[in-house]
Amino acid sequence: ARWFVAGGHSVFGASRSDYTKEAKQLGVTFFRDTAEMLREGAVDVVILATSIISFGSVLSSIPPDALEGRLIVDVLSVKILPKDLLLSKLPASCDIVCSHPMFGPESGRHGWKDLPFVYEAVRISDHHRFCRFLALWEEQGCKMTKLSCEEHDRLAAGSQFVTHLTGRVLGKLNLHSTPINTKGFESLLALIHSTAEDSFDLFYALYAHNANSESQLEMFSKAIDAIRADLAAFKEKQAKR
């Protein structure tokens, strides 16, 4: 939000939790009720920043007439789920952009230059407003990537989900730093740390709400079996020498 405020934009926020103090520090006008924010604030673009699991219930809690005529944007790490929900629940007058800023508070702490912003323009009637919204990210140096929600989820299952899966599997090994760490091992420890910082809810949502993740989990399991078989075969070959 601070980047948008710094760019001269009016930013409003709403949450069930009280972020009044934090919002004031950022220059954001805070509401405890989303419908009230939409009634009283001059809100042209609504960014729905929720967890994957709660997205449907949060969307359903907002009166549809309060969203009439606005540009609605999601920022979830899966894309087919919000696309389907937004198309089915929003008034036809709403424009829809499904997006995935592929960075978080840590990786984007010092700016967004060269960090990926993935998006699909699902339904757009006000093209000027849509271009102004994209410009918010372009002006911060984001790498803009236009991608369908379906293609995003296919690619994310083989990258983002596999990264989280690998980190979770390695975490089960209870690995620790040693006096003889290699650079490769330190990279593995960093992966364990980064995935452990994310909630299990997120990991589950990346699995449950991306239809491509199940096949990646199956391939991961088969890959372990294949490596075990390769080792057994090589061991047998060596024994016959």
Side-chain angles (χ1 to χ4, degrees):
R2 72 176 183 273
W3 300 113
F4 297 154
V5 172
H9 302 281
S10 297
V11 179
F12 305 85
S15 175
R16 291 177 299 177
S17 301
D18 189 358
Y19 292 108
T20 303
K21 181 180 178 180
E22 293 84 351
K24 186 176 181 180
Q25 292 173 345
L26 292 170
V28 173
T29 303
F30 182 75
F31 294 83
R32 291 296 297 272
D33 181 75
T34 303
E36 180 186 1
M37 179 189 73
L38 294 171
R39 285 194 306 268
E40 298 187 11
V43 180
D44 198 29
V45 178
V46 178
I47 300 177
L48 298 172
T50 75
S51 69
I52 297 171
I53 292 175
S54 66
F55 183 80
S57 60
V58 171
L59 180 60
S60 297
S61 72
I62 305 173
D65 61 327
L67 296 171
E68 288 276 3
R70 306 179 198 266
L71 170 59
I72 313 301
V73 183
D74 93 275
V75 290
L76 298 189
S77 299
V78 297
K79 296 272 53 83
I80 295 176
L81 170 71
K83 179 179 181 178
D84 290 346
L85 286 172
L86 292 172
L87 284 172
S88 65
K89 292 183 178 293
L90 290 181
S93 64
C94 290
D95 285 356
I96 299 172
V97 171
C98 287
S99 73
H100 183 188
M102 301 191 71
F103 48 90
E106 287 303 316
S107 57
R109 179 180 296 275
H110 301 296
W112 302 343
K113 182 174 173 56
D114 297 327
L115 297 176
F117 181 86
V118 179
Y119 69 94
E120 179 185 356
V122 177
R123 185 171 69 204
I124 300 296
S125 59
D126 188 335
H127 291 274
H128 178 63
R129 178 175 61 187
F130 168 61
C131 289
R132 284 190 292 119
F133 170 73
L134 290 187
L136 295 176
W137 308 89
E138 291 172 329
E139 289 166 1
Q140 296 300 324
C142 286
K143 179 183 177 182
M144 307 299 289
T145 304
K146 185 177 181 181
L147 204 64
S148 72
C149 292
E150 293 75 15
E151 182 67 1
H152 170 281
D153 280 7
R154 185 185 71 80
L155 295 174
S159 55
Q160 186 182 30
F161 175 70
V162 167
T163 299
H164 280 261
L165 175 61
T166 302
R168 293 280 173 178
V169 169
L170 292 173
K172 294 294 186 182
L173 297 178
N174 198 29
L175 301 175
H176 298 285
S177 183
T178 77
I180 57 171
N181 286 1
T182 62
K183 290 295 184 181
F185 184 65
E186 288 181 352
S187 296
L188 293 182
L189 292 177
L191 176 59
I192 294 169
H193 177 71
S194 65
T195 51
E197 284 191 329
D198 290 319
S199 69
F200 192 83
D201 281 358
L202 172 61
F203 179 53
Y204 173 77
L206 293 175
Y207 166 74
H209 297 293
N210 185 338
N212 302 280
S213 294
E214 177 63 37
S215 62
Q216 289 292 338
L217 184 58
E218 287 288 332
M219 286 190 287
F220 195 99
S221 179
K222 289 179 180 178
I224 296 293
D225 291 339
I227 291 171
R228 183 181 290 113
D230 288 343
L231 289 170
F234 192 82
K235 180 180 181 180
E236 182 179 357
K237 182 180 178 181
Q238 291 296 104
K240 290 179 179 179
R241 286 187 172 183

